[in-house]
Amino acid sequence: MTLRCLEEDHFSRKTTCEGYPTETYAEQAEVEDTIHELFKAFKRKLDLEDDIPKLNREKHLSFLNKGTENLGPTYSCLDSSRPWLVYWILNSFQLLSYEIPEALGDKISDFLGRCQSETGGFGGGPGQLPHLASTYAAVCALCIIGTERSLSIINKDTLRNYLMKSHQLDGSFVMHEGGEIDIRGVYCAAVVAKLTNMLSPEMFDNTGEWLASCQTYEGGFGAMPGLEAHGGYSFCGLAAAILLKREKLIDTQSFLRWLVLRQMTFEGGFQGRTNKMVDGCYSFWQGGAFPLIHVLLDLSTPEYKELLFDHRALQEYVLICCQHRDGGLVDKPGKNRDYYHTCYCLSGLSIAQNSCNALGSSDPDIVGCSTNLLSAVHPIFNFSYTSVKRALDFFNQV
């Protein structure tokens, strides 16, 4: 199948200023020019190699393994986000079908256990204040490891107390004691509660209504009522509403319209907000919303019998434009690699490869060689279906 970026008319899809040049247009044009050069270089390589683009699996694994041993001084700013670093690396391992060594799993589990607060929840490091985002990352990481030892570290009693304390009267959740309120808190709390079998109406009283109030005139979700629609917040809002079975409160058509307009015509990847640049992490935050919104649509309607985004264009963007030559993935060409973008670029790539599942097909649609295929990621929890089931089974018995 012909790649989209090699079609004769692809150059015509670049953005034009229509006679009104702006600073934003100049930035967009610069990004598109860089990506255009990559597409042209890729086209030249086609005469020399077969089955490209290729996922540089071994280089990515090498980059990830280095992160489990030692992090450079540039990561010191993430000292309060250490469970996130663990989650990003472990989820990337799982997507790349790399079996986490038992000794490493035990070491990470013990570390995350030291991040767990006596009052419930997990902090960004040992002794740090519990935080809903860190709690989400730690619980997901322990579920990815998936051993009885790792899952038993999670103290359900204190965790339940922490989630109940974080819940506010209007249905929102505070990220930490004395901290901010935004839609991430609802998603993190809902995921953790679902995985550990403690999700209850009492814990999420009024939350569906608060979520609905965060949907904007554009159709996406803002961090709070009245704020701009954003890809990460929109994913959190949609996924949380589905987990809480309050999806009927969402204007699905408005959300879908906003979502499809976030895929960039020339680049093939997604932007996070209106009038912003493409960013590899939105391969998941925007791309991952499509299989979720499919379950809310009437699939008997003719226009919904096809995929609602260009899943092959997204794969081309990730594989051609987001792979760092030394391993790891990036926001866009010219940016530094990091574990955050490695995780969410790979998650989005997995979503795109397996997107036909939403239409009832179990056959992946892979751009490039067959070895590019990643493990299928659960679009709500963002780790594997196997690990999700294992966690649900474990906590349903304890």
Side-chain angles (χ1 to χ4, degrees):
M1 186 178 292
T2 303
L3 295 176
R4 172 182 174 275
C5 66
L6 302 183
E7 294 173 356
E8 290 297 324
D9 67 341
H10 188 69
F11 183 79
S12 66
R13 296 170 180 156
K14 294 182 73 173
T15 304
T16 60
C17 66
E18 300 181 356
Y20 297 94
T22 64
E23 183 177 339
T24 302
Y25 166 74
E27 292 176 0
Q28 176 65 25
E30 183 178 355
V31 170
E32 289 184 0
D33 288 343
T34 301
I35 290 174
H36 189 220
E37 290 302 315
L38 285 174
F39 286 157
K40 289 195 298 184
F42 170 73
K43 187 173 184 178
R44 290 192 294 269
K45 286 183 66 177
L46 278 177
D47 299 328
L48 305 175
E49 300 181 37
D50 296 324
D51 295 324
I52 56 175
K54 294 179 180 177
L55 179 69
N56 300 324
R57 190 179 298 263
E58 295 305 317
K59 287 186 176 180
H60 300 326
L61 286 173
S62 176
F63 172 63
L64 293 164
N65 270 302
K66 288 178 182 176
T68 67
E69 299 167 359
N70 183 46
L71 293 174
T74 57
Y75 284 92
S76 60
C77 62
L78 294 177
D79 180 64
S80 60
S81 301
R82 293 162 73 184
W84 278 109
L85 287 162
V86 169
Y87 163 71
W88 296 331
I89 292 172
L90 292 184
N91 192 35
S92 299
F93 275 152
Q94 195 170 65
L95 287 161
L96 292 165
S97 300
Y98 175 78
E99 186 172 349
I100 301 166
E102 182 178 354
L104 177 61
D106 289 347
K107 183 178 180 180
I108 290 174
S109 297
D110 291 343
F111 166 73
L112 292 174
R114 297 196 300 275
C115 295
Q116 188 168 210
S117 171
E118 292 181 357
T119 59
F122 292 78
Q128 294 187 23
L129 192 71
H131 192 288
L132 275 176
S134 299
T135 299
Y136 163 87
V139 169
C140 288
L142 291 166
C143 290
I144 291 171
I145 296 169
T147 61
E148 183 174 354
R149 174 175 176 173
S150 67
L151 296 173
S152 297
I153 284 172
I154 301 169
N155 186 325
K156 285 186 62 173
D157 292 333
T158 59
L159 179 58
R160 180 182 290 104
N161 292 337
Y162 173 65
L163 294 179
M164 290 296 296
K165 187 177 179 181
S166 300
H167 177 258
Q168 307 297 297
L169 290 176
D170 64 356
S172 63
F173 279 74
V174 63
M175 296 301 293
H176 62 87
E177 185 177 354
E180 73 276 21
I181 289 173
D182 67 53
I183 207 167
R184 294 173 305 155
V186 175
Y187 170 70
C188 292
V191 165
V192 167
K194 178 64 176 179
L195 288 171
T196 56
N197 192 32
M198 64 175 71
L199 195 154
S200 67
E202 178 189 15
M203 185 178 288
F204 293 94
D205 185 37
N206 293 325
T207 300
E209 289 76 11
W210 187 84
L211 283 174
S213 72
C214 293
Q215 190 168 16
T216 78
Y217 72 94
E218 288 188 278
F221 287 79
M224 292 180 64
L227 298 185
E228 181 184 13
H230 179 283
Y233 297 132
S234 295
F235 173 85
C236 289
L238 179 64
I242 292 173
L243 281 172
L244 300 177
K245 303 187 186 306
R246 304 307 303 276
E247 60 270 18
K248 290 184 179 180
L249 296 175
I250 294 173
D251 184 339
T252 305
Q253 291 299 323
S254 177
F255 183 93
L256 179 59
R257 179 182 181 276
W258 177 82
L259 185 63
V260 297
L261 291 174
R262 302 285 71 76
Q263 188 166 23
M264 307 298 278
T265 304
F266 181 74
E267 300 93 308
F270 286 92
Q271 62 182 183
R273 292 178 284 162
T274 302
N275 209 36
K276 293 294 184 179
M277 308 299 116
V278 70
D279 185 333
C281 73
Y282 294 110
S283 302
F284 177 76
W285 295 123
Q286 305 285 31
F290 283 98
L292 300 184
I293 205 165
H294 256 287
V295 306
L296 307 184
L297 300 172
D298 180 2
L299 296 185
S300 65
T301 306
E303 59 263 35
Y304 299 148
K305 290 185 177 181
E306 302 292 335
L307 290 172
L308 300 173
F309 74 109
D310 192 332
H311 64 297
R312 294 184 65 85
L314 179 58
Q315 291 182 62
E316 290 176 28
Y317 176 69
V318 173
L319 291 169
I320 298 172
C321 303
C322 293
Q323 295 193 89
H324 193 279
R325 64 181 180 276
D326 296 323
L329 290 99
V330 302
D331 161 353
K332 59 179 66 68
K335 297 290 186 178
N336 293 326
R337 60 182 177 167
D338 59 66
Y339 296 105
Y340 169 85
H341 284 94
T342 298
C343 172
Y344 292 108
C345 283
L346 291 176
S347 295
L349 183 59
S350 172
I351 289 286
Q353 291 173 342
N354 295 285
S355 55
C356 292
N357 290 349
L359 302 179
S361 172
S362 59
D363 296 326
D365 187 3
I366 310 164
V367 168
C369 51
S370 60
T371 57
N372 287 351
L373 181 62
L374 296 171
S375 298
V377 67
H378 195 298
I380 285 183
F381 302 100
N382 195 19
F383 57 93
S384 78
Y385 285 89
T386 301
S387 293
V388 170
K389 184 179 185 303
R390 187 164 52 216
L392 292 173
D393 290 343
F394 177 87
F395 286 108
N396 283 341
Q397 297 172 9
V398 297

Coordinates of all heavy atoms in Angstrom, one line a residue, residues 92-147:
S92 N 6.6 1.2 28.1 CA 7.3 1.1 26.8 C 7.9 -0.3 26.7 O 7.9 -0.8 25.6 CB 8.4 2.2 26.8 OG 7.9 3.5 26.9
F93 N 8.5 -0.8 27.7 CA 9.0 -2.2 27.7 C 7.8 -3.1 27.2 O 8.0 -4.0 26.4 CB 9.4 -2.6 29.1 CG 10.8 -2.3 29.4 CD1 11.2 -2.1 30.8 CD2 11.8 -2.1 28.5 CE1 12.5 -1.8 31.1 CE2 13.1 -1.8 28.8 CZ 13.5 -1.6 30.1
Q94 N 6.7 -3.0 27.8 CA 5.6 -3.9 27.5 C 5.1 -3.7 26.1 O 4.8 -4.7 25.4 CB 4.4 -3.6 28.5 CG 3.4 -4.7 28.6 CD 2.4 -4.5 29.7 OE1 1.7 -3.5 29.7 NE2 2.4 -5.5 30.7
L95 N 5.0 -2.5 25.6 CA 4.6 -2.3 24.2 C 5.6 -2.9 23.3 O 5.2 -3.4 22.2 CB 4.5 -0.8 24.0 CG 3.3 0.0 24.6 CD1 3.6 1.4 24.7 CD2 2.1 -0.3 23.8
L96 N 6.9 -2.9 23.6 CA 7.9 -3.5 22.8 C 8.1 -5.0 23.0 O 9.0 -5.6 22.5 CB 9.2 -2.8 23.0 CG 9.3 -1.3 22.6 CD1 10.5 -0.6 23.2 CD2 9.4 -1.2 21.1
S97 N 7.2 -5.6 23.8 CA 7.2 -7.0 24.1 C 8.5 -7.5 24.7 O 9.0 -8.6 24.5 CB 7.0 -7.8 22.8 OG 5.7 -7.5 22.2
Y98 N 9.0 -6.6 25.6 CA 10.2 -6.9 26.3 C 9.8 -7.4 27.7 O 9.1 -6.7 28.4 CB 11.1 -5.7 26.5 CG 12.3 -5.9 27.4 CD1 13.4 -6.5 26.9 CD2 12.3 -5.4 28.7 CE1 14.6 -6.6 27.7 CE2 13.4 -5.5 29.5 CZ 14.6 -6.2 29.0 OH 15.7 -6.3 29.8
E99 N 10.2 -8.6 28.1 CA 9.9 -9.2 29.4 C 10.7 -8.6 30.5 O 11.9 -8.6 30.4 CB 10.1 -10.7 29.3 CG 9.6 -11.4 30.6 CD 9.6 -12.9 30.5 OE1 9.8 -13.4 29.4 OE2 9.4 -13.6 31.5
I100 N 10.0 -8.0 31.4 CA 10.7 -7.3 32.5 C 11.4 -8.3 33.4 O 10.7 -9.2 33.9 CB 9.7 -6.4 33.3 CG1 9.1 -5.4 32.4 CG2 10.4 -5.8 34.5 CD1 7.9 -4.7 33.0
P101 N 12.7 -8.3 33.6 CA 13.3 -9.3 34.5 C 12.8 -9.3 35.9 O 12.4 -8.2 36.4 CB 14.8 -8.8 34.5 CG 15.0 -8.0 33.2 CD 13.6 -7.3 33.0
E102 N 12.7 -10.4 36.5 CA 12.0 -10.5 37.8 C 12.8 -9.7 38.8 O 12.1 -9.0 39.7 CB 12.1 -12.0 38.3 CG 11.4 -12.2 39.6 CD 11.4 -13.7 40.0 OE1 11.8 -14.5 39.2 OE2 11.0 -14.0 41.2
A103 N 14.1 -9.7 38.8 CA 14.9 -8.9 39.8 C 14.6 -7.4 39.6 O 14.4 -6.7 40.6 CB 16.4 -9.2 39.6
L104 N 14.4 -6.9 38.4 CA 14.1 -5.5 38.1 C 12.7 -5.2 38.6 O 12.5 -4.2 39.3 CB 14.2 -5.2 36.7 CG 13.9 -3.7 36.3 CD1 14.8 -2.7 37.0 CD2 13.9 -3.6 34.7
G105 N 11.8 -6.1 38.3 CA 10.4 -5.9 38.8 C 10.3 -5.8 40.3 O 9.6 -5.0 40.9
D106 N 11.1 -6.7 41.0 CA 11.1 -6.7 42.5 C 11.7 -5.4 43.0 O 11.2 -4.8 44.0 CB 11.8 -7.9 43.0 CG 11.1 -9.2 42.8 OD1 9.9 -9.1 42.5 OD2 11.7 -10.2 43.0
K107 N 12.8 -5.0 42.4 CA 13.5 -3.7 42.8 C 12.6 -2.5 42.6 O 12.4 -1.7 43.5 CB 14.7 -3.6 42.0 CG 15.6 -2.4 42.4 CD 16.9 -2.3 41.5 CE 17.7 -1.1 41.9 NZ 19.0 -1.1 41.1
I108 N 11.9 -2.4 41.5 CA 11.0 -1.3 41.3 C 9.8 -1.4 42.2 O 9.3 -0.3 42.8 CB 10.5 -1.3 39.8 CG1 11.6 -1.0 38.9 CG2 9.3 -0.4 39.6 CD1 11.3 -1.1 37.4
S109 N 9.2 -2.6 42.5 CA 8.1 -2.7 43.4 C 8.5 -2.2 44.8 O 7.7 -1.5 45.4 CB 7.7 -4.2 43.4 OG 7.2 -4.6 42.2
D110 N 9.7 -2.6 45.2 CA 10.1 -2.2 46.6 C 10.3 -0.6 46.6 O 9.9 0.0 47.6 CB 11.5 -2.8 46.9 CG 11.3 -4.3 47.1 OD1 10.2 -4.8 47.3 OD2 12.3 -5.0 47.1
F111 N 10.8 -0.1 45.5 CA 10.9 1.4 45.5 C 9.6 2.1 45.5 O 9.4 3.0 46.3 CB 11.7 1.8 44.2 CG 11.5 3.3 43.9 CD1 12.2 4.2 44.7 CD2 10.7 3.8 42.9 CE1 12.1 5.6 44.5 CE2 10.5 5.1 42.7 CZ 11.2 6.0 43.5
L112 N 8.6 1.6 44.7 CA 7.3 2.2 44.8 C 6.6 2.0 46.1 O 5.8 2.9 46.5 CB 6.4 1.6 43.6 CG 6.9 2.0 42.2 CD1 6.1 1.2 41.2 CD2 6.8 3.5 42.0
G113 N 6.9 0.9 46.8 CA 6.4 0.7 48.1 C 6.8 1.8 49.1 O 6.1 2.2 49.9
R114 N 8.1 2.3 48.9 CA 8.6 3.3 49.7 C 8.0 4.7 49.4 O 8.1 5.6 50.2 CB 10.1 3.4 49.6 CG 10.8 2.2 50.1 CD 12.3 2.4 50.3 NE 13.0 2.8 49.1 CZ 13.5 2.0 48.2 NH1 13.4 0.7 48.4 NH2 14.2 2.5 47.2
C115 N 7.4 4.8 48.2 CA 6.7 6.0 47.8 C 5.3 6.1 48.3 O 4.6 7.1 48.2 CB 6.7 6.2 46.3 SG 8.3 6.3 45.5
Q116 N 4.8 5.0 48.9 CA 3.4 4.9 49.4 C 3.3 5.6 50.7 O 4.1 5.3 51.6 CB 2.9 3.5 49.5 CG 1.4 3.3 49.8 CD 0.9 1.9 49.6 OE1 -0.2 1.7 49.3 NE2 1.8 0.9 49.8
S117 N 2.3 6.5 50.9 CA 2.2 7.2 52.1 C 1.4 6.4 53.1 O 0.5 5.6 52.8 CB 1.4 8.5 51.8 OG 1.0 9.2 53.0
E118 N 1.7 6.6 54.4 CA 1.0 6.0 55.5 C -0.5 6.4 55.5 O -1.4 5.6 55.9 CB 1.6 6.3 56.8 CG 3.0 5.7 57.0 CD 3.6 6.0 58.4 OE1 2.9 6.8 59.1 OE2 4.7 5.6 58.7
T119 N -0.8 7.5 54.9 CA -2.2 8.0 54.9 C -2.9 7.6 53.6 O -4.1 7.9 53.4 CB -2.2 9.5 55.0 OG1 -1.5 10.1 53.9 CG2 -1.6 10.0 56.4
G120 N -2.2 6.9 52.7 CA -2.8 6.4 51.5 C -2.3 7.2 50.3 O -2.0 8.4 50.4
G121 N -2.3 6.5 49.1 CA -1.8 7.1 47.9 C -0.3 7.1 47.8 O 0.4 6.7 48.8
F122 N 0.3 7.5 46.7 CA 1.7 7.5 46.5 C 2.2 8.9 46.2 O 1.5 9.7 45.5 CB 2.0 6.6 45.3 CG 1.7 5.1 45.5 CD1 0.4 4.6 45.5 CD2 2.8 4.2 45.8 CE1 0.2 3.3 45.7 CE2 2.5 2.9 46.0 CZ 1.2 2.4 45.9
G123 N 3.4 9.2 46.7 CA 4.0 10.5 46.4 C 5.0 10.3 45.2 O 5.2 9.2 44.7
G124 N 5.6 11.5 44.8 CA 6.5 11.5 43.7 C 7.8 10.9 44.0 O 8.7 10.7 43.1
G125 N 8.1 10.5 45.3 CA 9.3 9.9 45.7 C 9.1 9.5 47.2 O 8.1 9.9 47.8
P126 N 10.0 8.7 47.8 CA 9.9 8.3 49.2 C 9.8 9.5 50.1 O 10.6 10.5 50.0 CB 11.2 7.6 49.4 CG 11.6 7.0 48.1 CD 11.2 8.1 47.1
G127 N 8.8 9.5 51.0 CA 8.6 10.6 51.9 C 7.9 11.8 51.4 O 7.6 12.8 52.1
Q128 N 7.5 11.8 50.1 CA 6.9 13.0 49.5 C 5.3 12.9 49.7 O 4.8 11.8 49.9 CB 7.2 13.1 48.0 CG 8.7 13.4 47.8 CD 9.0 13.7 46.3 OE1 8.1 14.0 45.5 NE2 10.3 13.5 45.9
L129 N 4.7 14.1 49.6 CA 3.3 14.2 49.7 C 2.5 13.3 48.7 O 2.9 13.3 47.5 CB 2.9 15.6 49.6 CG 1.5 16.1 50.0 CD1 1.3 16.0 51.5 CD2 1.2 17.5 49.5
P130 N 1.5 12.5 49.1 CA 0.8 11.7 48.1 C 0.1 12.7 47.1 O -0.4 13.7 47.5 CB -0.2 11.0 49.0 CG -0.3 11.7 50.3 CD 1.0 12.3 50.5
H131 N 0.0 12.2 45.9 CA -0.5 13.0 44.8 C -1.2 12.1 43.9 O -0.8 10.9 43.6 CB 0.7 13.6 44.1 CG 0.4 14.7 43.1 ND1 -0.2 14.4 41.9 CD2 0.6 16.0 43.1 CE1 -0.4 15.6 41.2 NE2 0.1 16.6 41.9
L132 N -2.4 12.5 43.4 CA -3.2 11.6 42.5 C -2.5 11.2 41.3 O -2.6 10.0 40.8 CB -4.5 12.3 42.2 CG -5.7 12.2 43.2 CD1 -6.9 12.9 42.7 CD2 -6.0 10.7 43.4
A133 N -1.7 12.1 40.6 CA -1.0 11.7 39.4 C 0.1 10.6 39.7 O 0.2 9.7 39.0 CB -0.3 12.9 38.8
S134 N 0.8 10.8 40.8 CA 1.8 9.9 41.2 C 1.2 8.5 41.6 O 1.7 7.5 41.4 CB 2.7 10.4 42.4 OG 3.3 11.6 42.1
T135 N 0.0 8.6 42.2 CA -0.7 7.4 42.6 C -1.1 6.6 41.4 O -1.0 5.4 41.3 CB -2.0 7.8 43.4 OG1 -1.5 8.5 44.6 CG2 -2.8 6.6 43.8
Y136 N -1.6 7.3 40.4 CA -2.0 6.7 39.1 C -0.8 6.0 38.5 O -0.8 4.8 38.1 CB -2.5 7.7 38.1 CG -2.6 7.2 36.7 CD1 -3.7 6.5 36.2 CD2 -1.5 7.5 35.8 CE1 -3.7 6.1 34.8 CE2 -1.5 7.1 34.5 CZ -2.6 6.4 34.0 OH -2.6 6.0 32.7
A137 N 0.4 6.7 38.4 CA 1.6 6.1 37.8 C 2.1 4.9 38.6 O 2.5 3.9 38.0 CB 2.6 7.2 37.7
A138 N 2.1 5.0 39.9 CA 2.6 3.9 40.7 C 1.7 2.7 40.6 O 2.2 1.6 40.4 CB 2.7 4.4 42.2
V139 N 0.4 2.9 40.7 CA -0.5 1.7 40.6 C -0.4 1.1 39.2 O -0.4 -0.1 39.1 CB -2.0 2.2 40.9 CG1 -3.0 1.1 40.6 CG2 -2.1 2.6 42.4
C140 N -0.4 1.9 38.2 CA -0.3 1.3 36.8 C 1.1 0.6 36.7 O 1.1 -0.5 36.1 CB -0.4 2.4 35.8 SG -2.1 3.1 35.6
A141 N 2.2 1.1 37.2 CA 3.5 0.4 37.1 C 3.4 -0.9 37.8 O 3.9 -1.9 37.4 CB 4.5 1.3 37.7
L142 N 2.8 -0.9 39.0 CA 2.8 -2.2 39.8 C 1.9 -3.2 39.1 O 2.1 -4.4 39.1 CB 2.2 -1.9 41.2 CG 3.2 -1.1 42.1 CD1 2.5 -0.6 43.3 CD2 4.4 -1.9 42.5
C143 N 0.8 -2.7 38.4 CA 0.0 -3.6 37.6 C 0.7 -4.2 36.4 O 0.5 -5.3 36.0 CB -1.3 -2.9 37.2 SG -2.4 -2.5 38.5
I144 N 1.6 -3.3 35.8 CA 2.4 -3.8 34.6 C 3.3 -4.9 35.1 O 3.4 -6.0 34.4 CB 3.1 -2.7 34.0 CG1 2.2 -1.7 33.3 CG2 4.2 -3.2 33.0 CD1 2.8 -0.4 32.8
I145 N 4.0 -4.7 36.2 CA 4.8 -5.8 36.8 C 4.0 -7.0 37.0 O 4.4 -8.2 36.7 CB 5.6 -5.3 38.0 CG1 6.5 -4.1 37.7 CG2 6.4 -6.4 38.7 CD1 7.1 -3.4 38.9
G146 N 2.9 -6.8 37.7 CA 1.8 -7.8 37.8 C 2.1 -9.1 38.6 O 1.3 -10.0 38.5
T147 N 3.1 -9.1 39.4 CA 3.3 -10.2 40.3 C 2.5 -10.0 41.6 O 2.0 -8.9 41.9 CB 4.8 -10.3 40.7 OG1 5.2 -9.1 41.4 CG2 5.6 -10.5 39.4

